Amino acid sequence: MKKILLSSIIILIGITFIGRLSYLQIFSFSPDQVLDDPAIKAIYDYPERGYIYDRNGKLLVGNDPAYDVMVIPREVKPLDTLEFCSLLGIDKDKFVQKLRKARIYSPRLPSVLVPQLSKEDYARLQEKMRKYEGFYIQKRSLRYYDTKAAANVLGYIREVNERDLERNPYYVQGELTGGKGVEQQYEEILRGRKGVQYIQKDRFNRDIGPYKGGILDTLPEQGKEISLTIDKELQEYGELLMNGKWGGIVALEPSSGEILAMISGPTYDPALLVGRERSKNYSKLHYDTISKPLFDRSISAEGSPGSPFKTLNALVALQEGAIKPGTTFQCYNGFYVGRTKRGCHCGGGIRNLNSGIYNSCNAYFAGTFRKFYEKFPTTDEGQDVWQKHMNSFGLGNFLGYDLPTGRPGRIPGKAYYDKWYGDGRWASSYIISNSIGQGEIAATPVQLANMTAAIANRGYYYTPHILKKVEGEDISMPEYVQPKYTTIDKEHFEPVIKGMADVYKKGTARWVQIPGIEIAGKTGTVENYTIIDSVRTQLTDHSVFVAFAPVNNPKIALAVYIENGYYGSRYAGHIASLLIEKYLKGNITRKDLEKRMLEKTLEHEYAKPYSGEEFKINEYVW
């Protein structure tokens, strides 16, 4: 009996061991475990990234073949370093540094030694690679740009860093990933999935064939092509007009929230960040701390909105019954706050809502602002209501668009002013600059464009977004197809829109009308200050303009913000009108406006803080 029991125990233990080993090898063996085996190496097969097209099917980004020189440190044998470095086009110190970094990462896993060889370098090097054990050439693809525009929208491709490796186990050192823009936002769609082949090695470190007959090998999956909402021709034309100018432009389709153009100036050719010169070019762009070409002003520059914000103050006052369209205020070429007079350039006189908008009368909107706050028992209550209305237009917070960067802007609430003045110790006169879009308000160009789209739609907007199709199929994400309603009733928009239409017909933008297109717009001139030698110094004003067209069936809404661009209709107004005509007609009839914008730059204005040249504020001559 004891013999039978002992035999049974031995057999049971044996079956347990065999079962466990079988389970580990057949059922629970993962690719990650394979890579832990020093007798197995992985060879990756990288697919092409998905192509990127504009809304009309025009190519924006494709691929070109490229080649990386890879190294497996433990397989490297003594070599003629100088000869090899000469072939690679790098110096010996860099070679040693790269090899050391690869060895630290992993002695047995491949690392990139020299990325992105050209076809010519590849052809020259391929014949001699057999001389250098431990090194091989890995085929990849590089981005090819069929446009010199939209760098801020498209983003770029970069090598993964330590943070990427820690965050996502998909990547290994030396691989590429999207950086900024669409390339970053839709990385998983665009990159596809790499294939892998596992090779078994013998005790002499020689390849003996596929591991387990290739059962764990996988084929690469091609990256998916996507179509953006961007109009390639409009984007390129807008960047052409922005030559020599700093600022941001965003154009939207009001009926969908699709982004038609997103322009940041100054910009750069996206092809600069491709190939072996990428690092040098990126450093040059990054360390340009004056013009900041890598800073996307269209979604990150938070400036005072200026007079376009008057339209929202009018809507809020109408909604709360503080004014009616026929309510009038007297303009004395300005308005008084206590004994201090604030200026106005409308010419003075009695103003109602319509003339207040098309003449951009500061006094009218200061009076409207006061009457709004007078309706509430306390300023705090008025501020809560005002802030709620402004937030409903997408101001003061992130809009939720599908791009990875941006700023929220600022719509100050009572807590903001309590911090500055004390609870209950401030009144509407303290914040009167908010009535004309100055003061503590801040908005990005994309927020101003979205605000304009909400007005064009008479009270609602769609979340701005950049992705239109994946593999030819329209996307239907709920957050992009459901309208977001403002807190303003529909009937209050018509008198405001009438005033904005009259801005073009007889107001501050009458000089930039476009034949055959009825446009509603609003000019803005924003005071501009900086610190020079520890002194707060006033610079040339910013030029701001918002518009939509056609008035009764809007197809485009946009915001143009030109730094140091003088008054609203001078640079921003010109550019807005030209972009509207380009999009709706496809050609330009106002050649006079186009010629001026193509020839005129503001580089002399941007140089003034560094040149010592005297500023001439409100210089209204060309």
Side-chain angles (χ1 to χ4, degrees), residues 368-400:
T368 297
F369 197 71
R370 286 190 180 109
K371 284 187 72 69
F372 166 78
Y373 280 91
E374 288 170 0
K375 286 190 62 66
F376 298 91
T378 66
T379 308
D380 278 2
E381 291 178 63
Q383 192 67 17
D384 281 343
V385 173
W386 181 85
Q387 184 183 33
K388 180 182 176 182
H389 285 308
M390 296 306 171
N391 290 156
S392 77
F393 283 84
L395 299 175
N397 210 333
F398 292 101
L399 283 169

mmCIF file of all heavy atoms in Angstrom, residues 368-400:
data_model
loop_
_atom_site.group_PDB
_atom_site.id
_atom_site.type_symbol
_atom_site.label_atom_id
_atom_site.label_comp_id
_atom_site.label_asym_id
_atom_site.label_seq_id
_atom_site.Cartn_x
_atom_site.Cartn_y
_atom_site.Cartn_z
ATOM 1 N N THR A 368 -24.377 100.389 -21.517
ATOM 2 C CA THR A 368 -25.086 99.100 -21.500
ATOM 3 C C THR A 368 -24.592 98.228 -20.355
ATOM 4 O O THR A 368 -25.385 97.582 -19.650
ATOM 5 C CB THR A 368 -24.873 98.382 -22.844
ATOM 6 O OG1 THR A 368 -25.451 99.151 -23.887
ATOM 7 C CG2 THR A 368 -25.494 96.999 -22.833
ATOM 8 N N PHE A 369 -23.305 98.226 -20.151
ATOM 9 C CA PHE A 369 -22.686 97.423 -19.098
ATOM 10 C C PHE A 369 -23.186 97.875 -17.726
ATOM 11 O O PHE A 369 -23.554 97.040 -16.873
ATOM 12 C CB PHE A 369 -21.167 97.582 -19.206
ATOM 13 C CG PHE A 369 -20.353 96.541 -18.486
ATOM 14 C CD1 PHE A 369 -20.299 95.230 -18.946
ATOM 15 C CD2 PHE A 369 -19.615 96.866 -17.353
ATOM 16 C CE1 PHE A 369 -19.526 94.275 -18.306
ATOM 17 C CE2 PHE A 369 -18.844 95.922 -16.710
ATOM 18 C CZ PHE A 369 -18.786 94.617 -17.183
ATOM 19 N N ARG A 370 -23.219 99.175 -17.506
ATOM 20 C CA ARG A 370 -23.699 99.707 -16.222
ATOM 21 C C ARG A 370 -25.159 99.331 -15.993
ATOM 22 O O ARG A 370 -25.538 98.921 -14.884
ATOM 23 C CB ARG A 370 -23.547 101.221 -16.206
ATOM 24 C CG ARG A 370 -22.110 101.718 -16.051
ATOM 25 C CD ARG A 370 -22.131 103.214 -15.796
ATOM 26 N NE ARG A 370 -20.806 103.775 -15.632
ATOM 27 C CZ ARG A 370 -20.205 104.553 -16.514
ATOM 28 N NH1 ARG A 370 -20.818 104.862 -17.649
ATOM 29 N NH2 ARG A 370 -19.000 105.041 -16.280
ATOM 30 N N LYS A 371 -25.999 99.485 -17.034
ATOM 31 C CA LYS A 371 -27.432 99.194 -16.873
ATOM 32 C C LYS A 371 -27.661 97.718 -16.567
ATOM 33 O O LYS A 371 -28.579 97.365 -15.816
ATOM 34 C CB LYS A 371 -28.196 99.600 -18.134
ATOM 35 C CG LYS A 371 -28.394 101.105 -18.265
ATOM 36 C CD LYS A 371 -29.283 101.454 -19.429
ATOM 37 C CE LYS A 371 -30.743 101.083 -19.169
ATOM 38 N NZ LYS A 371 -31.349 101.943 -18.117
ATOM 39 N N PHE A 372 -26.818 96.852 -17.119
ATOM 40 C CA PHE A 372 -26.948 95.432 -16.818
ATOM 41 C C PHE A 372 -26.729 95.187 -15.329
ATOM 42 O O PHE A 372 -27.522 94.509 -14.671
ATOM 43 C CB PHE A 372 -25.944 94.626 -17.653
ATOM 44 C CG PHE A 372 -25.772 93.211 -17.178
ATOM 45 C CD1 PHE A 372 -26.708 92.235 -17.479
ATOM 46 C CD2 PHE A 372 -24.673 92.854 -16.392
ATOM 47 C CE1 PHE A 372 -26.547 90.935 -17.018
ATOM 48 C CE2 PHE A 372 -24.505 91.557 -15.933
ATOM 49 C CZ PHE A 372 -25.450 90.590 -16.247
ATOM 50 N N TYR A 373 -25.657 95.726 -14.754
ATOM 51 C CA TYR A 373 -25.349 95.483 -13.348
ATOM 52 C C TYR A 373 -26.348 96.157 -12.416
ATOM 53 O O TYR A 373 -26.568 95.691 -11.287
ATOM 54 C CB TYR A 373 -23.920 95.924 -13.033
ATOM 55 C CG TYR A 373 -22.892 94.901 -13.466
ATOM 56 C CD1 TYR A 373 -22.319 94.964 -14.719
ATOM 57 C CD2 TYR A 373 -22.524 93.855 -12.626
ATOM 58 C CE1 TYR A 373 -21.389 94.011 -15.139
ATOM 59 C CE2 TYR A 373 -21.598 92.906 -13.028
ATOM 60 C CZ TYR A 373 -21.039 92.983 -14.291
ATOM 61 O OH TYR A 373 -20.132 92.038 -14.697
ATOM 62 N N GLU A 374 -26.948 97.240 -12.868
ATOM 63 C CA GLU A 374 -27.945 97.941 -12.037
ATOM 64 C C GLU A 374 -29.196 97.107 -11.823
ATOM 65 O O GLU A 374 -29.985 97.382 -10.914
ATOM 66 C CB GLU A 374 -28.316 99.271 -12.685
ATOM 67 C CG GLU A 374 -27.207 100.318 -12.587
ATOM 68 C CD GLU A 374 -27.484 101.543 -13.445
ATOM 69 O OE1 GLU A 374 -28.552 101.566 -14.118
ATOM 70 O OE2 GLU A 374 -26.632 102.449 -13.474
ATOM 71 N N LYS A 375 -29.405 96.066 -12.622
ATOM 72 C CA LYS A 375 -30.594 95.228 -12.491
ATOM 73 C C LYS A 375 -30.492 94.257 -11.312
ATOM 74 O O LYS A 375 -31.480 93.613 -10.957
ATOM 75 C CB LYS A 375 -30.814 94.414 -13.776
ATOM 76 C CG LYS A 375 -31.345 95.228 -14.949
ATOM 77 C CD LYS A 375 -31.764 94.342 -16.087
ATOM 78 C CE LYS A 375 -32.898 93.406 -15.717
ATOM 79 N NZ LYS A 375 -34.172 94.091 -15.424
ATOM 80 N N PHE A 376 -29.322 94.143 -10.712
ATOM 81 C CA PHE A 376 -29.113 93.140 -9.673
ATOM 82 C C PHE A 376 -28.878 93.814 -8.320
ATOM 83 O O PHE A 376 -28.278 94.892 -8.247
ATOM 84 C CB PHE A 376 -27.932 92.249 -10.033
ATOM 85 C CG PHE A 376 -28.131 91.483 -11.311
ATOM 86 C CD1 PHE A 376 -27.707 92.017 -12.519
ATOM 87 C CD2 PHE A 376 -28.801 90.272 -11.306
ATOM 88 C CE1 PHE A 376 -27.913 91.333 -13.704
ATOM 89 C CE2 PHE A 376 -29.009 89.580 -12.489
ATOM 90 C CZ PHE A 376 -28.567 90.104 -13.690
ATOM 91 N N PRO A 377 -29.359 93.169 -7.236
ATOM 92 C CA PRO A 377 -29.182 93.758 -5.898
ATOM 93 C C PRO A 377 -27.719 93.984 -5.531
ATOM 94 O O PRO A 377 -27.377 94.941 -4.849
ATOM 95 C CB PRO A 377 -29.843 92.725 -4.972
ATOM 96 C CG PRO A 377 -30.761 91.937 -5.847
ATOM 97 C CD PRO A 377 -30.129 91.921 -7.202
ATOM 98 N N THR A 378 -26.848 93.065 -5.977
ATOM 99 C CA THR A 378 -25.412 93.206 -5.683
ATOM 100 C C THR A 378 -24.606 92.965 -6.963
ATOM 101 O O THR A 378 -25.053 92.283 -7.888
ATOM 102 C CB THR A 378 -24.953 92.197 -4.616
ATOM 103 O OG1 THR A 378 -25.064 90.866 -5.145
ATOM 104 C CG2 THR A 378 -25.785 92.328 -3.349
ATOM 105 N N THR A 379 -23.413 93.504 -6.955
ATOM 106 C CA THR A 379 -22.511 93.279 -8.091
ATOM 107 C C THR A 379 -22.160 91.810 -8.214
ATOM 108 O O THR A 379 -22.004 91.289 -9.327
ATOM 109 C CB THR A 379 -21.232 94.114 -7.928
ATOM 110 O OG1 THR A 379 -21.582 95.484 -7.689
ATOM 111 C CG2 THR A 379 -20.368 94.046 -9.176
ATOM 112 N N ASP A 380 -22.028 91.127 -7.079
ATOM 113 C CA ASP A 380 -21.700 89.700 -7.108
ATOM 114 C C ASP A 380 -22.742 88.908 -7.897
ATOM 115 O O ASP A 380 -22.405 88.054 -8.717
ATOM 116 C CB ASP A 380 -21.629 89.140 -5.682
ATOM 117 C CG ASP A 380 -20.286 89.422 -5.023
ATOM 118 O OD1 ASP A 380 -19.438 90.073 -5.664
ATOM 119 O OD2 ASP A 380 -20.095 88.997 -3.865
ATOM 120 N N GLU A 381 -24.022 89.203 -7.656
ATOM 121 C CA GLU A 381 -25.081 88.487 -8.370
ATOM 122 C C GLU A 381 -25.015 88.787 -9.861
ATOM 123 O O GLU A 381 -25.185 87.904 -10.704
ATOM 124 C CB GLU A 381 -26.449 88.874 -7.805
ATOM 125 C CG GLU A 381 -26.693 88.367 -6.388
ATOM 126 C CD GLU A 381 -28.044 88.830 -5.849
ATOM 127 O OE1 GLU A 381 -29.072 88.440 -6.436
ATOM 128 O OE2 GLU A 381 -28.062 89.579 -4.857
ATOM 129 N N GLY A 382 -24.781 90.039 -10.193
ATOM 130 C CA GLY A 382 -24.667 90.422 -11.599
ATOM 131 C C GLY A 382 -23.498 89.722 -12.274
ATOM 132 O O GLY A 382 -23.609 89.263 -13.415
ATOM 133 N N GLN A 383 -22.392 89.613 -11.542
ATOM 134 C CA GLN A 383 -21.210 88.972 -12.109
ATOM 135 C C GLN A 383 -21.449 87.495 -12.362
ATOM 136 O O GLN A 383 -20.988 86.948 -13.372
ATOM 137 C CB GLN A 383 -20.011 89.171 -11.185
ATOM 138 C CG GLN A 383 -18.668 88.789 -11.803
ATOM 139 C CD GLN A 383 -18.272 89.712 -12.934
ATOM 140 O OE1 GLN A 383 -18.814 90.813 -13.068
ATOM 141 N NE2 GLN A 383 -17.347 89.274 -13.762
ATOM 142 N N ASP A 384 -22.169 86.834 -11.456
ATOM 143 C CA ASP A 384 -22.487 85.422 -11.650
ATOM 144 C C ASP A 384 -23.294 85.217 -12.926
ATOM 145 O O ASP A 384 -23.026 84.295 -13.705
ATOM 146 C CB ASP A 384 -23.273 84.882 -10.452
ATOM 147 C CG ASP A 384 -22.387 84.559 -9.263
ATOM 148 O OD1 ASP A 384 -21.155 84.447 -9.448
ATOM 149 O OD2 ASP A 384 -22.923 84.443 -8.139
ATOM 150 N N VAL A 385 -24.307 86.054 -13.128
ATOM 151 C CA VAL A 385 -25.158 85.938 -14.319
ATOM 152 C C VAL A 385 -24.352 86.240 -15.575
ATOM 153 O O VAL A 385 -24.425 85.521 -16.583
ATOM 154 C CB VAL A 385 -26.370 86.885 -14.217
ATOM 155 C CG1 VAL A 385 -27.167 86.895 -15.525
ATOM 156 C CG2 VAL A 385 -27.266 86.478 -13.049
ATOM 157 N N TRP A 386 -23.555 87.306 -15.536
ATOM 158 C CA TRP A 386 -22.726 87.698 -16.690
ATOM 159 C C TRP A 386 -21.757 86.576 -17.061
ATOM 160 O O TRP A 386 -21.621 86.217 -18.230
ATOM 161 C CB TRP A 386 -21.960 88.965 -16.333
ATOM 162 C CG TRP A 386 -21.071 89.519 -17.409
ATOM 163 C CD1 TRP A 386 -21.423 90.355 -18.422
ATOM 164 C CD2 TRP A 386 -19.662 89.267 -17.556
ATOM 165 N NE1 TRP A 386 -20.330 90.650 -19.203
ATOM 166 C CE2 TRP A 386 -19.235 89.997 -18.688
ATOM 167 C CE3 TRP A 386 -18.730 88.513 -16.847
ATOM 168 C CZ2 TRP A 386 -17.909 89.983 -19.126
ATOM 169 C CZ3 TRP A 386 -17.418 88.488 -17.281
ATOM 170 C CH2 TRP A 386 -17.010 89.222 -18.406
ATOM 171 N N GLN A 387 -21.095 86.000 -16.055
ATOM 172 C CA GLN A 387 -20.127 84.939 -16.308
ATOM 173 C C GLN A 387 -20.801 83.706 -16.908
ATOM 174 O O GLN A 387 -20.269 83.086 -17.844
ATOM 175 C CB GLN A 387 -19.417 84.552 -15.009
ATOM 176 C CG GLN A 387 -18.314 83.519 -15.200
ATOM 177 C CD GLN A 387 -17.687 83.098 -13.872
ATOM 178 O OE1 GLN A 387 -18.361 83.058 -12.836
ATOM 179 N NE2 GLN A 387 -16.397 82.791 -13.900
ATOM 180 N N LYS A 388 -21.975 83.365 -16.405
ATOM 181 C CA LYS A 388 -22.703 82.200 -16.925
ATOM 182 C C LYS A 388 -23.033 82.383 -18.406
ATOM 183 O O LYS A 388 -22.864 81.456 -19.214
ATOM 184 C CB LYS A 388 -23.985 81.993 -16.114
ATOM 185 C CG LYS A 388 -24.823 80.810 -16.581
ATOM 186 C CD LYS A 388 -26.104 80.689 -15.772
ATOM 187 C CE LYS A 388 -26.986 79.554 -16.308
ATOM 188 N NZ LYS A 388 -28.274 79.468 -15.551
ATOM 189 N N HIS A 389 -23.494 83.570 -18.769
ATOM 190 C CA HIS A 389 -23.798 83.837 -20.183
ATOM 191 C C HIS A 389 -22.558 83.724 -21.044
ATOM 192 O O HIS A 389 -22.583 83.110 -22.122
ATOM 193 C CB HIS A 389 -24.410 85.232 -20.334
ATOM 194 C CG HIS A 389 -25.837 85.346 -19.877
ATOM 195 N ND1 HIS A 389 -26.824 84.499 -20.321
ATOM 196 C CD2 HIS A 389 -26.442 86.224 -19.027
ATOM 197 C CE1 HIS A 389 -27.982 84.839 -19.763
ATOM 198 N NE2 HIS A 389 -27.769 85.889 -18.969
ATOM 199 N N MET A 390 -21.458 84.296 -20.609
ATOM 200 C CA MET A 390 -20.230 84.274 -21.417
ATOM 201 C C MET A 390 -19.680 82.861 -21.555
ATOM 202 O O MET A 390 -19.220 82.463 -22.631
ATOM 203 C CB MET A 390 -19.171 85.187 -20.795
ATOM 204 C CG MET A 390 -19.553 86.656 -20.769
ATOM 205 S SD MET A 390 -20.023 87.259 -22.406
ATOM 206 C CE MET A 390 -20.672 88.880 -22.002
ATOM 207 N N ASN A 391 -19.743 82.082 -20.491
ATOM 208 C CA ASN A 391 -19.290 80.691 -20.557
ATOM 209 C C ASN A 391 -20.107 79.879 -21.568
ATOM 210 O O ASN A 391 -19.584 78.941 -22.188
ATOM 211 C CB ASN A 391 -19.387 80.024 -19.191
ATOM 212 C CG ASN A 391 -18.367 80.541 -18.186
ATOM 213 O OD1 ASN A 391 -18.562 80.454 -16.981
ATOM 214 N ND2 ASN A 391 -17.264 81.097 -18.674
ATOM 215 N N SER A 392 -21.369 80.232 -21.732
ATOM 216 C CA SER A 392 -22.231 79.470 -22.645
ATOM 217 C C SER A 392 -21.808 79.617 -24.098
ATOM 218 O O SER A 392 -22.228 78.833 -24.952
ATOM 219 C CB SER A 392 -23.703 79.888 -22.476
ATOM 220 O OG SER A 392 -23.977 81.125 -23.109
ATOM 221 N N PHE A 393 -20.980 80.611 -24.406
ATOM 222 C CA PHE A 393 -20.443 80.793 -25.762
ATOM 223 C C PHE A 393 -19.094 80.088 -25.932
ATOM 224 O O PHE A 393 -18.421 80.272 -26.950
ATOM 225 C CB PHE A 393 -20.290 82.278 -26.072
ATOM 226 C CG PHE A 393 -21.576 82.965 -26.411
ATOM 227 C CD1 PHE A 393 -22.413 83.443 -25.405
ATOM 228 C CD2 PHE A 393 -21.979 83.126 -27.728
ATOM 229 C CE1 PHE A 393 -23.609 84.070 -25.699
ATOM 230 C CE2 PHE A 393 -23.170 83.758 -28.047
ATOM 231 C CZ PHE A 393 -23.999 84.229 -27.029
ATOM 232 N N GLY A 394 -18.699 79.295 -24.940
ATOM 233 C CA GLY A 394 -17.436 78.570 -25.034
ATOM 234 C C GLY A 394 -16.239 79.377 -24.599
ATOM 235 O O GLY A 394 -15.090 78.969 -24.846
ATOM 236 N N LEU A 395 -16.461 80.500 -23.941
ATOM 237 C CA LEU A 395 -15.361 81.347 -23.472
ATOM 238 C C LEU A 395 -14.989 80.972 -22.037
ATOM 239 O O LEU A 395 -15.833 80.536 -21.258
ATOM 240 C CB LEU A 395 -15.749 82.810 -23.545
ATOM 241 C CG LEU A 395 -16.090 83.349 -24.940
ATOM 242 C CD1 LEU A 395 -16.587 84.788 -24.853
ATOM 243 C CD2 LEU A 395 -14.895 83.266 -25.873
ATOM 244 N N GLY A 396 -13.714 81.160 -21.710
ATOM 245 C CA GLY A 396 -13.263 80.928 -20.341
ATOM 246 C C GLY A 396 -12.999 79.482 -19.998
ATOM 247 O O GLY A 396 -12.788 79.149 -18.829
ATOM 248 N N ASN A 397 -12.986 78.614 -21.012
ATOM 249 C CA ASN A 397 -12.694 77.207 -20.742
ATOM 250 C C ASN A 397 -12.258 76.543 -22.046
ATOM 251 O O ASN A 397 -12.425 77.097 -23.128
ATOM 252 C CB ASN A 397 -13.919 76.484 -20.177
ATOM 253 C CG ASN A 397 -13.527 75.342 -19.249
ATOM 254 O OD1 ASN A 397 -12.457 74.756 -19.381
ATOM 255 N ND2 ASN A 397 -14.404 75.018 -18.320
ATOM 256 N N PHE A 398 -11.704 75.325 -21.918
ATOM 257 C CA PHE A 398 -11.318 74.582 -23.111
ATOM 258 C C PHE A 398 -12.575 74.175 -23.881
ATOM 259 O O PHE A 398 -13.548 73.718 -23.302
ATOM 260 C CB PHE A 398 -10.512 73.336 -22.738
ATOM 261 C CG PHE A 398 -9.165 73.653 -22.160
ATOM 262 C CD1 PHE A 398 -8.961 73.608 -20.793
ATOM 263 C CD2 PHE A 398 -8.107 74.001 -22.979
ATOM 264 C CE1 PHE A 398 -7.720 73.896 -20.249
ATOM 265 C CE2 PHE A 398 -6.855 74.299 -22.438
ATOM 266 C CZ PHE A 398 -6.663 74.247 -21.085
ATOM 267 N N LEU A 399 -12.541 74.319 -25.189
ATOM 268 C CA LEU A 399 -13.711 74.029 -26.005
ATOM 269 C C LEU A 399 -13.935 72.537 -26.205
ATOM 270 O O LEU A 399 -15.036 72.111 -26.535
ATOM 271 C CB LEU A 399 -13.573 74.710 -27.381
ATOM 272 C CG LEU A 399 -13.838 76.216 -27.411
ATOM 273 C CD1 LEU A 399 -13.412 76.801 -28.752
ATOM 274 C CD2 LEU A 399 -15.302 76.498 -27.156
ATOM 275 N N GLY A 400 -12.876 71.734 -26.074
ATOM 276 C CA GLY A 400 -13.009 70.304 -26.298
ATOM 277 C C GLY A 400 -12.670 69.879 -27.707
ATOM 278 O O GLY A 400 -13.016 68.777 -28.134
#
